[in-house]
């Protein structure tokens, strides 16, 4: 059996592909509509006024997405989290890290 055949059976995420795409789209919209304007309006380092940005991420459902649901998160797996971080990092890698 070749390596391509082995990879066909590997499931990277437990989340359906449509839901993964929806979270990625949500993260992209957040990064463009909320994060980018915030970064442009504030000087680096962002030592003040980050509460509003964190609150916005929380309301959007992006803050703590990999936390278990019983602790207020979405319980998403690492693959879903990495997709969200990729979209946020496209606007600012420091925020995604």
């Amino acid at each position: 059996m070749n390596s391509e055949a082995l990879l066909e059976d590997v499931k990277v995420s437990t989340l359906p592909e449509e839901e993964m795409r929806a979270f990625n789209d949500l993260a992209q919209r957040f990064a463009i509509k909320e994060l980018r304007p915030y970064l442009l309006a504030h000087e680096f380092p962002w030592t003040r006024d980050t509460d509003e940005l964190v609150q916005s991420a929380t309301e959007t459902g992006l803050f703590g997405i990999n936390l278990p649901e019983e602790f207020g998160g979405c319980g998403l797996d690492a693959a879903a989290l990495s997709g969200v971080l990729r979209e946020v990092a496209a606007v600012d890698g420091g925020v995604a890290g």
Side-chain angles (χ1 to χ4, degrees):
M1 183 178 270
N2 66 30
S3 60
E4 287 182 26
L6 287 172
L7 289 176
E8 288 178 13
D9 295 330
V10 174
K11 187 172 185 180
V12 176
S13 178
T14 57
L15 211 59
E17 190 173 331
E18 303 83 40
E19 287 185 45
M20 291 256 315
R21 221 176 289 126
F23 269 103
N24 290 347
D25 291 346
L26 178 67
Q28 183 182 52
R29 285 192 309 272
F30 171 80
I32 292 169
K33 292 182 180 180
E34 300 285 336
L35 181 58
R36 181 179 287 153
Y38 174 86
L39 296 173
L40 293 173
H42 295 80
E43 291 184 28
F44 181 83
W46 305 285
T47 56
R48 296 183 293 155
D49 302 323
T50 57
D51 290 346
E52 184 178 316
L53 187 61
V54 170
Q55 182 64 32
S56 179
T58 302
E59 290 170 1
T60 304
L62 295 174
F63 196 80
I65 63 170
N66 61 329
L67 291 175
E69 291 180 41
E70 60 265 24
F71 297 113
C74 295
L76 298 182
D77 57 24
L81 175 62
S82 69
V84 167
L85 293 177
R86 181 184 61 241
E87 297 299 335
V88 173
V91 170
D92 185 71
V95 173

